[in-house]
Amino acid sequence: MSLLPFILFAIVLLSSPPYSVTGKNHHHHQHDPQTPASDLVRTSCVHANYPNLCLRTLSTYAGPARTPRDLAQAAVNVSLARASRVSKFLSRTAKGSFGSKRQRSALGDCVEQISDSVEELSKTLSELQHLRWETFRWQMSNAQTWVSAALTNEDTCLEGFEELGMKMKSEVKRKITNVARVTSNALYMINRLDESRGS
Protein backbone atom coordinates (compact mmCIF):
# COMPACT_ATOMS: atom_id res chain seq x y z
CA MET A 1 0.00 0.00 0.00
CA SER A 2 2.94 2.32 0.70
CA LEU A 3 3.91 2.25 -3.00
CA LEU A 4 0.52 3.45 -4.22
CA PRO A 5 1.11 7.22 -3.77
CA PHE A 6 4.44 6.91 -5.56
CA ILE A 7 2.89 4.99 -8.47
CA LEU A 8 0.05 7.51 -8.78
CA PHE A 9 2.57 10.39 -8.72
CA ALA A 10 4.68 8.69 -11.39
CA ILE A 11 1.62 8.18 -13.63
CA VAL A 12 0.65 11.84 -13.34
CA LEU A 13 4.23 12.96 -13.98
CA LEU A 14 4.63 10.77 -17.04
CA SER A 15 1.28 11.73 -18.49
CA SER A 16 1.87 15.49 -18.23
CA PRO A 17 4.71 16.08 -20.76
CA PRO A 18 2.84 14.85 -23.84
CA TYR A 19 0.07 17.39 -23.30
CA SER A 20 2.57 20.14 -22.67
CA VAL A 21 4.72 19.17 -25.67
CA THR A 22 1.68 18.83 -27.89
CA GLY A 23 0.62 22.33 -27.00
CA LYS A 24 4.07 23.68 -27.82
CA ASN A 25 4.20 21.82 -31.10
CA HIS A 26 0.82 23.16 -32.12
CA HIS A 27 1.99 26.69 -31.40
CA HIS A 28 5.22 26.08 -33.32
CA HIS A 29 3.45 24.79 -36.42
CA GLN A 30 1.34 27.90 -36.59
CA HIS A 31 4.46 29.99 -37.13
CA ASP A 32 6.43 27.56 -39.28
CA PRO A 33 4.79 28.34 -42.64
CA GLN A 34 5.91 31.98 -42.61
CA THR A 35 9.44 31.64 -41.30
CA PRO A 36 11.03 29.62 -44.13
CA ALA A 37 9.35 31.79 -46.77
CA SER A 38 10.54 35.02 -45.17
CA ASP A 39 14.02 33.59 -44.78
CA LEU A 40 14.02 32.48 -48.42
CA VAL A 41 13.12 35.98 -49.63
CA ARG A 42 15.82 37.56 -47.48
CA THR A 43 18.58 35.15 -48.38
CA SER A 44 17.63 35.22 -52.06
CA CYS A 45 17.41 39.01 -52.32
CA VAL A 46 20.62 39.81 -50.49
CA HIS A 47 22.79 39.28 -53.59
CA ALA A 48 20.30 40.56 -56.18
CA ASN A 49 21.31 43.58 -58.25
CA TYR A 50 18.73 45.69 -56.40
CA PRO A 51 18.35 43.97 -53.00
CA ASN A 52 16.12 46.58 -51.32
CA LEU A 53 13.75 46.64 -54.28
CA CYS A 54 13.82 42.84 -54.31
CA LEU A 55 12.84 42.63 -50.64
CA ARG A 56 10.13 45.25 -51.02
CA THR A 57 8.49 43.70 -54.08
CA LEU A 58 8.78 40.04 -53.08
CA SER A 59 7.98 40.26 -49.36
CA THR A 60 4.27 40.24 -50.24
CA TYR A 61 4.85 36.84 -51.87
CA ALA A 62 6.46 35.44 -48.72
CA GLY A 63 3.49 33.16 -48.00
CA PRO A 64 3.39 31.04 -51.17
CA ALA A 65 7.05 31.59 -52.12
CA ARG A 66 8.50 28.59 -50.31
CA THR A 67 10.96 27.35 -52.97
CA PRO A 68 13.36 28.96 -55.47
CA ARG A 69 10.81 28.12 -58.18
CA ASP A 70 8.03 29.98 -56.33
CA LEU A 71 10.31 32.96 -55.86
CA ALA A 72 11.38 33.05 -59.51
CA GLN A 73 7.73 32.99 -60.58
CA ALA A 74 6.89 35.76 -58.11
CA ALA A 75 9.78 37.90 -59.40
CA VAL A 76 8.69 37.44 -63.03
CA ASN A 77 5.10 38.21 -62.01
CA VAL A 78 6.22 41.52 -60.47
CA SER A 79 8.22 42.39 -63.57
CA LEU A 80 5.38 41.44 -65.93
CA ALA A 81 2.81 43.47 -63.99
CA ARG A 82 4.98 46.58 -64.00
CA ALA A 83 6.00 46.20 -67.64
CA SER A 84 2.33 45.87 -68.60
CA ARG A 85 1.43 49.07 -66.75
CA VAL A 86 4.30 50.99 -68.35
CA SER A 87 3.37 49.62 -71.77
CA LYS A 88 -0.16 51.00 -71.41
CA PHE A 89 1.19 54.32 -70.15
CA LEU A 90 3.56 54.64 -73.12
CA SER A 91 0.83 53.70 -75.60
CA ARG A 92 -1.43 56.44 -74.21
CA THR A 93 1.43 58.93 -74.24
CA ALA A 94 2.39 58.10 -77.82
CA LYS A 95 -1.12 58.98 -78.99
CA GLY A 96 -0.68 62.57 -77.83
CA SER A 97 0.57 65.13 -80.31
CA PHE A 98 3.68 66.70 -78.84
CA GLY A 99 7.39 67.09 -79.48
CA SER A 100 9.40 66.81 -82.64
CA LYS A 101 9.24 64.02 -85.15
CA ARG A 102 12.41 62.60 -83.65
CA GLN A 103 10.93 62.62 -80.16
CA ARG A 104 7.75 60.91 -81.32
CA SER A 105 9.85 58.34 -83.14
CA ALA A 106 11.85 57.58 -79.97
CA LEU A 107 8.64 57.16 -78.00
CA GLY A 108 7.16 54.93 -80.70
CA ASP A 109 10.26 52.72 -80.60
CA CYS A 110 9.98 52.54 -76.84
CA VAL A 111 6.33 51.49 -77.02
CA GLU A 112 7.31 48.62 -79.31
CA GLN A 113 10.27 47.58 -77.13
CA ILE A 114 8.29 47.49 -73.89
CA SER A 115 5.48 45.64 -75.65
CA ASP A 116 8.06 43.03 -76.67
CA SER A 117 9.25 42.88 -73.06
CA VAL A 118 5.71 42.13 -71.90
CA GLU A 119 5.45 39.28 -74.40
CA GLU A 120 8.84 37.84 -73.38
CA LEU A 121 8.02 38.01 -69.68
CA SER A 122 4.66 36.34 -70.32
CA LYS A 123 6.40 33.46 -72.09
CA THR A 124 8.89 33.21 -69.23
CA LEU A 125 6.15 32.98 -66.62
CA SER A 126 4.38 30.27 -68.59
CA GLU A 127 7.62 28.31 -68.89
CA LEU A 128 8.28 28.53 -65.14
CA GLN A 129 4.74 27.35 -64.41
CA HIS A 130 5.22 24.22 -66.52
CA LEU A 131 8.73 23.09 -65.59
CA ARG A 132 9.43 19.39 -66.03
CA TRP A 133 12.47 17.59 -64.71
CA GLU A 134 13.32 15.95 -68.04
CA THR A 135 13.30 19.28 -69.92
CA PHE A 136 14.38 21.51 -67.03
CA ARG A 137 17.68 22.66 -68.51
CA TRP A 138 16.13 23.55 -71.86
CA GLN A 139 13.23 25.39 -70.24
CA MET A 140 15.56 27.36 -67.97
CA SER A 141 17.61 28.35 -71.01
CA ASN A 142 14.43 29.66 -72.64
CA ALA A 143 13.47 31.62 -69.53
CA GLN A 144 16.93 33.16 -69.22
CA THR A 145 16.96 34.11 -72.91
CA TRP A 146 13.53 35.74 -72.77
CA VAL A 147 14.14 37.71 -69.58
CA SER A 148 17.54 38.85 -70.90
CA ALA A 149 15.81 40.02 -74.09
CA ALA A 150 13.16 41.86 -72.04
CA LEU A 151 15.91 43.59 -70.07
CA THR A 152 17.74 44.54 -73.28
CA ASN A 153 14.53 46.03 -74.70
CA GLU A 154 14.03 48.10 -71.55
CA ASP A 155 17.62 49.33 -71.60
CA THR A 156 17.35 50.18 -75.31
CA CYS A 157 14.17 52.13 -74.62
CA LEU A 158 15.98 54.14 -71.94
CA GLU A 159 18.92 54.86 -74.23
CA GLY A 160 16.55 56.20 -76.87
CA PHE A 161 15.47 58.94 -74.49
CA GLU A 162 18.92 59.91 -73.25
CA GLU A 163 19.58 62.41 -76.05
CA LEU A 164 16.13 63.92 -76.03
CA GLY A 165 14.91 66.89 -74.07
CA MET A 166 11.37 65.63 -73.89
CA LYS A 167 9.04 67.15 -71.36
CA MET A 168 8.04 63.67 -70.21
CA LYS A 169 11.53 62.26 -70.30
CA SER A 170 11.97 62.14 -66.50
CA GLU A 171 8.65 60.39 -65.87
CA VAL A 172 9.14 57.90 -68.69
CA LYS A 173 12.70 57.25 -67.57
CA ARG A 174 11.64 56.72 -63.94
CA LYS A 175 8.94 54.21 -64.90
CA ILE A 176 11.12 52.24 -67.30
CA THR A 177 14.10 52.25 -64.93
CA ASN A 178 11.88 50.68 -62.28
CA VAL A 179 10.72 47.98 -64.71
CA ALA A 180 14.31 47.30 -65.79
CA ARG A 181 15.39 46.87 -62.16
CA VAL A 182 12.66 44.40 -61.22
CA THR A 183 13.38 42.54 -64.48
CA SER A 184 17.06 42.39 -63.54
CA ASN A 185 16.09 40.93 -60.17
CA ALA A 186 13.80 38.42 -61.92
CA LEU A 187 16.70 37.26 -64.08
CA TYR A 188 18.79 36.82 -60.95
CA MET A 189 16.07 34.66 -59.36
CA ILE A 190 15.84 32.54 -62.51
CA ASN A 191 19.60 32.03 -62.45
CA ARG A 192 19.33 30.93 -58.80
CA LEU A 193 16.57 28.51 -59.76
CA ASP A 194 18.75 27.10 -62.51
CA GLU A 195 21.53 26.51 -59.99
CA SER A 196 19.12 24.79 -57.60
CA ARG A 197 17.88 22.44 -60.33
CA GLY A 198 14.28 23.53 -59.83
CA SER A 199 13.89 22.58 -56.20
Side-chain angles (χ1 to χ4, degrees), residues 66-82:
R66 301 184 63 81
T67 66
R69 178 179 176 178
D70 292 338
L71 208 53
Q73 286 187 39
V76 173
N77 250 319
V78 168
S79 181
L80 176 59
R82 296 194 179 195

Side-chain angles (χ1 to χ4, degrees), residues 32-100:
D32 258 358
Q34 289 299 327
T35 306
S38 300
D39 288 347
L40 177 64
V41 172
R42 280 197 298 274
T43 56
S44 299
C45 284
V46 70
H47 295 301
N49 289 333
Y50 305 96
N52 291 335
L53 180 64
C54 180
L55 274 170
R56 194 165 65 248
T57 55
L58 296 184
S59 59
T60 54
Y61 288 87
R66 301 184 63 81
T67 66
R69 178 179 176 178
D70 292 338
L71 208 53
Q73 286 187 39
V76 173
N77 250 319
V78 168
S79 181
L80 176 59
R82 296 194 179 195
S84 297
R85 285 200 298 269
V86 171
S87 180
K88 289 173 185 174
F89 166 78
L90 291 172
S91 295
R92 287 195 305 268
T93 304
K95 290 175 183 176
S97 55
F98 65 92
S100 66

Side-chain angles (χ1 to χ4, degrees), residues 86 89-90 93 107 110 114 154-155 157-164 166-181:
V86 171
F89 166 78
L90 291 172
T93 304
L107 185 57
C110 199
I114 299 301
E154 290 152 12
D155 288 340
C157 176
L158 279 173
E159 289 168 8
F161 282 99
E162 282 304 313
E163 303 174 3
L164 305 179
M166 290 184 65
K167 186 178 178 181
M168 296 192 68
K169 176 181 172 180
S170 60
E171 186 177 2
V172 171
K173 186 174 180 179
R174 178 179 59 80
K175 289 178 181 292
I176 296 169
T177 296
N178 181 271
V179 173
R181 287 177 177 176

Side-chain angles (χ1 to χ4, degrees), residues 5-155:
F6 174 79
I7 293 170
L8 289 173
F9 174 75
I11 290 171
V12 170
L13 189 66
L14 291 171
S15 65
S16 295
Y19 293 104
S20 174
V21 170
T22 303
K24 287 180 182 176
N25 279 348
H26 179 67
H27 180 73
H28 182 65
H29 286 312
Q30 283 180 324
H31 291 277
D32 258 358
Q34 289 299 327
T35 306
S38 300
D39 288 347
L40 177 64
V41 172
R42 280 197 298 274
T43 56
S44 299
C45 284
V46 70
H47 295 301
N49 289 333
Y50 305 96
N52 291 335
L53 180 64
C54 180
L55 274 170
R56 194 165 65 248
T57 55
L58 296 184
S59 59
T60 54
Y61 288 87
R66 301 184 63 81
T67 66
R69 178 179 176 178
D70 292 338
L71 208 53
Q73 286 187 39
V76 173
N77 250 319
V78 168
S79 181
L80 176 59
R82 296 194 179 195
S84 297
R85 285 200 298 269
V86 171
S87 180
K88 289 173 185 174
F89 166 78
L90 291 172
S91 295
R92 287 195 305 268
T93 304
K95 290 175 183 176
S97 55
F98 65 92
S100 66
K101 184 178 178 181
R102 185 181 170 202
Q103 290 170 339
R104 291 195 300 273
S105 175
L107 185 57
D109 289 343
C110 199
V111 167
E112 189 174 331
Q113 287 149 0
I114 299 301
S115 177
D116 288 345
S117 286
V118 170
E119 184 180 342
E120 285 148 359
L121 290 167
S122 296
K123 289 192 293 185
T124 301
L125 186 59
S126 178
E127 196 80 307
L128 293 178
Q129 290 170 339
H130 300 93
L131 286 176
R132 295 189 302 277
W133 180 255
E134 61 272 18
T135 54
F136 178 80
R137 186 63 64 193
W138 176 72
Q139 289 178 291
M140 290 309 300
S141 177
N142 285 341
Q144 288 162 332
T145 298
W146 290 328
V147 176
S148 295
L151 191 55
T152 299
N153 283 330
E154 290 152 12
D155 288 340

